[in-house]
Amino acid sequence: MKLVAISKTKPVEMIQEAYTSGHTVFGENKVQEMLSKYEQLPKNIEWHLVGHLQSNKVKYIATFVHLIHSVDSKKLLQEIGKQALKNHRVQKVLLQIFIAREETKFGLDRNELFALLDELKINPVAGTQICGLMGMATNTDDETQIRNEFAGLKTLFEEVKTSYYAGDENFCELSMGMSSDYRIAMEEGSTMVRVGSLVFGER
Ligand SMILES: *Cc1c(COP(=O)(O)O)cnc(C)c1O
């Protein structure tokens, strides 16, 4: 289980403090904010991009970002690959899956996911490595609903692994769980939780 401490809106001093006490994995949801913090903080920090990413901003983080959790289109993946190759890197990414009963959350639905995976099977995007899936549950107090959404994502992850990435040990990450629902996510098979306010305080 990996804890990605989501430091968005929090000052570099707070991140530095967490770093000094031994935590080195942080996540941001905005490119400019991540870049600015990257420049000010120790270079062995592992930075995760968790928010919606526009293709035209990939270049700003392409030299250093460890894992992009929010790939939701072929176009974005292609731009990530292009920038990674420029920097002689292979960029690790997750495909973001829409699992919530809400209109506001980004991500691929099941059909879009399989269409993309079929395309990638024929035309892999050089410079990228797909390491798993990410999803956000509905923002609700209904624990049963949250659990069902996470369980559904876990099932989908296993299905994708078996059908497309059997024998690929890099496809191993399931990023699910935030401050309010990380316990449920862990019980349902998360390998990576993205916890912000519980680590750094309310925003
Ligand atoms: C902000 C954010 C989180 C962390 O949210 P908390 O409720 O503060 O834990 C996790 N994932 C994404 C994609 C986020 O934007």
Side-chain angles (χ1 to χ4, degrees), residues 93-123:
V93 306
L94 305 179
L95 300 176
Q96 183 171 351
I97 310 302
F98 178 85
I99 57 170
R101 265 189 243 162
E102 283 170 327
E103 285 304 317
T104 53
K105 303 256 158 94
F106 293 98
L108 302 158
D109 67 24
R110 192 190 161 84
N111 291 337
E112 291 166 338
L113 171 65
F114 284 105
L116 177 58
L117 292 169
D118 286 337
E119 275 184 59
L120 294 177
K121 209 157 140 182
I122 302 162
N123 279 317

Short mmCIF file of all heavy atoms in Angstrom, two decimals, residues 93-123:
data_model
loop_
_atom_site.label_atom_id
_atom_site.label_comp_id
_atom_site.label_asym_id
_atom_site.label_seq_id
_atom_site.Cartn_x
_atom_site.Cartn_y
_atom_site.Cartn_z
N VAL A 93 1.93 5.88 -16.24
CA VAL A 93 0.60 6.50 -16.15
C VAL A 93 -0.43 5.47 -15.66
O VAL A 93 -0.23 4.27 -15.76
CB VAL A 93 0.11 7.07 -17.51
CG1 VAL A 93 1.12 8.02 -18.12
CG2 VAL A 93 -0.23 5.96 -18.49
N LEU A 94 -1.54 6.01 -15.17
CA LEU A 94 -2.73 5.21 -14.88
C LEU A 94 -3.86 5.71 -15.76
O LEU A 94 -3.89 6.89 -16.12
CB LEU A 94 -3.15 5.36 -13.40
CG LEU A 94 -2.09 5.04 -12.35
CD1 LEU A 94 -2.66 5.27 -10.94
CD2 LEU A 94 -1.57 3.62 -12.49
N LEU A 95 -4.77 4.84 -16.11
CA LEU A 95 -5.97 5.24 -16.84
C LEU A 95 -7.05 5.56 -15.81
O LEU A 95 -7.33 4.75 -14.92
CB LEU A 95 -6.43 4.13 -17.78
CG LEU A 95 -5.39 3.72 -18.84
CD1 LEU A 95 -5.91 2.54 -19.67
CD2 LEU A 95 -5.03 4.89 -19.75
N GLN A 96 -7.62 6.77 -15.93
CA GLN A 96 -8.66 7.17 -14.97
C GLN A 96 -10.02 6.68 -15.45
O GLN A 96 -10.44 6.93 -16.58
CB GLN A 96 -8.69 8.69 -14.80
CG GLN A 96 -9.71 9.10 -13.74
CD GLN A 96 -9.63 10.57 -13.36
OE1 GLN A 96 -8.71 11.27 -13.74
NE2 GLN A 96 -10.61 11.01 -12.59
N ILE A 97 -10.69 5.97 -14.56
CA ILE A 97 -11.97 5.35 -14.88
C ILE A 97 -13.09 6.09 -14.15
O ILE A 97 -12.97 6.39 -12.95
CB ILE A 97 -11.98 3.86 -14.46
CG1 ILE A 97 -10.74 3.14 -14.98
CG2 ILE A 97 -13.26 3.17 -14.95
CD1 ILE A 97 -10.55 3.16 -16.47
N PHE A 98 -14.17 6.34 -14.86
CA PHE A 98 -15.32 7.00 -14.28
C PHE A 98 -16.16 5.95 -13.56
O PHE A 98 -16.72 5.06 -14.19
CB PHE A 98 -16.13 7.67 -15.40
CG PHE A 98 -17.36 8.34 -14.93
CD1 PHE A 98 -17.32 9.64 -14.45
CD2 PHE A 98 -18.59 7.69 -14.95
CE1 PHE A 98 -18.46 10.27 -14.01
CE2 PHE A 98 -19.74 8.32 -14.51
CZ PHE A 98 -19.68 9.61 -14.03
N ILE A 99 -16.22 6.04 -12.22
CA ILE A 99 -17.00 5.05 -11.47
C ILE A 99 -18.11 5.69 -10.65
O ILE A 99 -18.97 5.00 -10.12
CB ILE A 99 -16.11 4.20 -10.52
CG1 ILE A 99 -15.31 5.08 -9.54
CG2 ILE A 99 -15.15 3.33 -11.33
CD1 ILE A 99 -14.60 4.29 -8.44
N ALA A 100 -18.09 7.03 -10.55
CA ALA A 100 -19.04 7.70 -9.65
C ALA A 100 -20.39 7.94 -10.33
O ALA A 100 -20.50 7.97 -11.54
CB ALA A 100 -18.45 9.03 -9.21
N ARG A 101 -21.39 8.11 -9.49
CA ARG A 101 -22.71 8.51 -9.99
C ARG A 101 -22.80 10.03 -9.94
O ARG A 101 -23.61 10.59 -9.21
CB ARG A 101 -23.80 7.91 -9.10
CG ARG A 101 -24.34 6.60 -9.64
CD ARG A 101 -25.55 6.17 -8.85
NE ARG A 101 -25.30 4.92 -8.18
CZ ARG A 101 -26.02 4.48 -7.15
NH1 ARG A 101 -27.00 5.21 -6.66
NH2 ARG A 101 -25.74 3.33 -6.61
N GLU A 102 -21.90 10.69 -10.64
CA GLU A 102 -21.85 12.15 -10.63
C GLU A 102 -21.43 12.62 -12.01
O GLU A 102 -20.66 11.94 -12.67
CB GLU A 102 -20.82 12.65 -9.61
CG GLU A 102 -21.27 12.58 -8.19
CD GLU A 102 -20.14 12.84 -7.20
OE1 GLU A 102 -18.99 12.48 -7.48
OE2 GLU A 102 -20.42 13.39 -6.15
N GLU A 103 -21.88 13.77 -12.38
CA GLU A 103 -21.53 14.29 -13.70
C GLU A 103 -20.15 14.96 -13.71
O GLU A 103 -19.56 15.16 -14.75
CB GLU A 103 -22.59 15.30 -14.17
CG GLU A 103 -23.89 14.64 -14.63
CD GLU A 103 -23.68 13.61 -15.73
OE1 GLU A 103 -22.90 13.88 -16.65
OE2 GLU A 103 -24.27 12.52 -15.64
N THR A 104 -19.66 15.30 -12.52
CA THR A 104 -18.50 16.19 -12.45
C THR A 104 -17.15 15.48 -12.55
O THR A 104 -16.14 16.11 -12.72
CB THR A 104 -18.50 16.95 -11.12
OG1 THR A 104 -18.62 16.00 -10.07
CG2 THR A 104 -19.66 17.93 -11.05
N LYS A 105 -17.14 14.15 -12.43
CA LYS A 105 -15.86 13.47 -12.37
C LYS A 105 -15.37 13.06 -13.77
O LYS A 105 -16.14 12.56 -14.58
CB LYS A 105 -15.97 12.24 -11.47
CG LYS A 105 -16.46 12.58 -10.06
CD LYS A 105 -15.35 12.56 -9.04
CE LYS A 105 -15.68 13.39 -7.82
NZ LYS A 105 -16.28 12.69 -6.72
N PHE A 106 -14.10 13.24 -14.00
CA PHE A 106 -13.50 12.86 -15.28
C PHE A 106 -13.27 11.36 -15.33
O PHE A 106 -13.30 10.69 -14.32
CB PHE A 106 -12.17 13.58 -15.47
CG PHE A 106 -12.30 15.06 -15.62
CD1 PHE A 106 -12.10 15.92 -14.56
CD2 PHE A 106 -12.63 15.60 -16.87
CE1 PHE A 106 -12.21 17.30 -14.70
CE2 PHE A 106 -12.75 16.96 -17.02
CZ PHE A 106 -12.54 17.81 -15.94
N GLY A 107 -12.99 10.86 -16.50
CA GLY A 107 -12.57 9.47 -16.63
C GLY A 107 -13.25 8.74 -17.76
O GLY A 107 -14.22 9.22 -18.34
N LEU A 108 -12.68 7.58 -18.08
CA LEU A 108 -13.22 6.73 -19.15
C LEU A 108 -14.32 5.85 -18.59
O LEU A 108 -14.20 5.35 -17.46
CB LEU A 108 -12.10 5.83 -19.67
CG LEU A 108 -10.85 6.51 -20.22
CD1 LEU A 108 -9.66 5.53 -20.17
CD2 LEU A 108 -11.09 6.96 -21.65
N ASP A 109 -15.37 5.62 -19.37
CA ASP A 109 -16.31 4.58 -18.95
C ASP A 109 -15.81 3.25 -19.51
O ASP A 109 -14.79 3.18 -20.20
CB ASP A 109 -17.76 4.92 -19.37
CG ASP A 109 -17.96 4.91 -20.87
OD1 ASP A 109 -17.20 4.24 -21.59
OD2 ASP A 109 -18.89 5.60 -21.33
N ARG A 110 -16.52 2.19 -19.17
CA ARG A 110 -16.08 0.85 -19.53
C ARG A 110 -15.85 0.68 -21.03
O ARG A 110 -14.82 0.14 -21.47
CB ARG A 110 -17.16 -0.12 -19.02
CG ARG A 110 -16.76 -1.53 -19.05
CD ARG A 110 -17.94 -2.45 -18.76
NE ARG A 110 -17.57 -3.75 -19.26
CZ ARG A 110 -16.85 -4.63 -18.56
NH1 ARG A 110 -16.50 -4.36 -17.33
NH2 ARG A 110 -16.49 -5.77 -19.10
N ASN A 111 -16.79 1.17 -21.82
CA ASN A 111 -16.67 1.02 -23.27
C ASN A 111 -15.49 1.81 -23.82
O ASN A 111 -14.75 1.32 -24.68
CB ASN A 111 -17.96 1.47 -23.96
CG ASN A 111 -19.11 0.52 -23.68
OD1 ASN A 111 -18.88 -0.64 -23.35
ND2 ASN A 111 -20.33 1.03 -23.78
N GLU A 112 -15.33 3.02 -23.32
CA GLU A 112 -14.20 3.86 -23.77
C GLU A 112 -12.87 3.20 -23.37
O GLU A 112 -11.90 3.23 -24.14
CB GLU A 112 -14.29 5.25 -23.15
CG GLU A 112 -15.46 6.07 -23.68
CD GLU A 112 -15.75 7.30 -22.84
OE1 GLU A 112 -15.38 7.35 -21.64
OE2 GLU A 112 -16.38 8.23 -23.38
N LEU A 113 -12.84 2.62 -22.18
CA LEU A 113 -11.62 1.96 -21.72
C LEU A 113 -11.24 0.81 -22.66
O LEU A 113 -10.10 0.73 -23.12
CB LEU A 113 -11.82 1.42 -20.29
CG LEU A 113 -10.70 0.52 -19.77
CD1 LEU A 113 -9.39 1.30 -19.63
CD2 LEU A 113 -11.09 -0.11 -18.44
N PHE A 114 -12.19 -0.05 -22.96
CA PHE A 114 -11.86 -1.20 -23.80
C PHE A 114 -11.53 -0.78 -25.23
O PHE A 114 -10.67 -1.38 -25.87
CB PHE A 114 -12.95 -2.27 -23.73
CG PHE A 114 -12.89 -3.04 -22.44
CD1 PHE A 114 -13.81 -2.82 -21.42
CD2 PHE A 114 -11.87 -3.96 -22.23
CE1 PHE A 114 -13.72 -3.53 -20.22
CE2 PHE A 114 -11.77 -4.66 -21.03
CZ PHE A 114 -12.70 -4.44 -20.03
N ALA A 115 -12.20 0.27 -25.70
CA ALA A 115 -11.86 0.79 -27.04
C ALA A 115 -10.42 1.29 -27.06
O ALA A 115 -9.65 1.00 -27.99
CB ALA A 115 -12.83 1.91 -27.42
N LEU A 116 -10.03 2.02 -26.01
CA LEU A 116 -8.66 2.54 -25.92
C LEU A 116 -7.64 1.39 -25.82
O LEU A 116 -6.62 1.39 -26.50
CB LEU A 116 -8.53 3.49 -24.72
CG LEU A 116 -7.15 4.08 -24.44
CD1 LEU A 116 -6.61 4.85 -25.64
CD2 LEU A 116 -7.19 5.00 -23.22
N LEU A 117 -7.95 0.41 -24.98
CA LEU A 117 -7.02 -0.72 -24.81
C LEU A 117 -6.86 -1.50 -26.11
O LEU A 117 -5.75 -1.95 -26.44
CB LEU A 117 -7.51 -1.65 -23.68
CG LEU A 117 -7.45 -1.04 -22.27
CD1 LEU A 117 -8.19 -1.92 -21.28
CD2 LEU A 117 -6.01 -0.83 -21.82
N ASP A 118 -7.95 -1.64 -26.87
CA ASP A 118 -7.86 -2.32 -28.16
C ASP A 118 -6.97 -1.55 -29.13
O ASP A 118 -6.15 -2.13 -29.85
CB ASP A 118 -9.27 -2.50 -28.77
CG ASP A 118 -10.06 -3.60 -28.05
OD1 ASP A 118 -9.42 -4.48 -27.44
OD2 ASP A 118 -11.30 -3.56 -28.11
N GLU A 119 -7.12 -0.23 -29.12
CA GLU A 119 -6.27 0.60 -29.97
C GLU A 119 -4.80 0.49 -29.58
O GLU A 119 -3.91 0.41 -30.42
CB GLU A 119 -6.68 2.07 -29.85
CG GLU A 119 -7.82 2.49 -30.75
CD GLU A 119 -8.07 3.99 -30.61
OE1 GLU A 119 -7.15 4.79 -30.88
OE2 GLU A 119 -9.20 4.33 -30.21
N LEU A 120 -4.56 0.50 -28.26
CA LEU A 120 -3.18 0.47 -27.77
C LEU A 120 -2.50 -0.87 -28.07
O LEU A 120 -1.28 -0.94 -28.22
CB LEU A 120 -3.14 0.75 -26.27
CG LEU A 120 -3.56 2.16 -25.85
CD1 LEU A 120 -3.56 2.30 -24.34
CD2 LEU A 120 -2.65 3.21 -26.48
N LYS A 121 -3.31 -1.91 -28.13
CA LYS A 121 -2.78 -3.23 -28.44
C LYS A 121 -2.17 -3.21 -29.86
O LYS A 121 -1.13 -3.80 -30.11
CB LYS A 121 -3.93 -4.25 -28.40
CG LYS A 121 -3.52 -5.63 -28.01
CD LYS A 121 -4.74 -6.35 -27.47
CE LYS A 121 -4.83 -7.77 -27.89
NZ LYS A 121 -6.08 -8.38 -27.35
N ILE A 122 -2.84 -2.50 -30.76
CA ILE A 122 -2.36 -2.42 -32.15
C ILE A 122 -1.28 -1.35 -32.27
O ILE A 122 -0.27 -1.54 -32.92
CB ILE A 122 -3.54 -2.08 -33.10
CG1 ILE A 122 -4.62 -3.15 -32.98
CG2 ILE A 122 -3.05 -1.97 -34.55
CD1 ILE A 122 -5.97 -2.72 -33.51
N ASN A 123 -1.52 -0.22 -31.63
CA ASN A 123 -0.61 0.93 -31.69
C ASN A 123 -0.20 1.40 -30.31
O ASN A 123 -0.74 2.38 -29.81
CB ASN A 123 -1.29 2.12 -32.39
CG ASN A 123 -1.26 2.01 -33.88
OD1 ASN A 123 -0.23 1.65 -34.45
ND2 ASN A 123 -2.36 2.33 -34.52
#
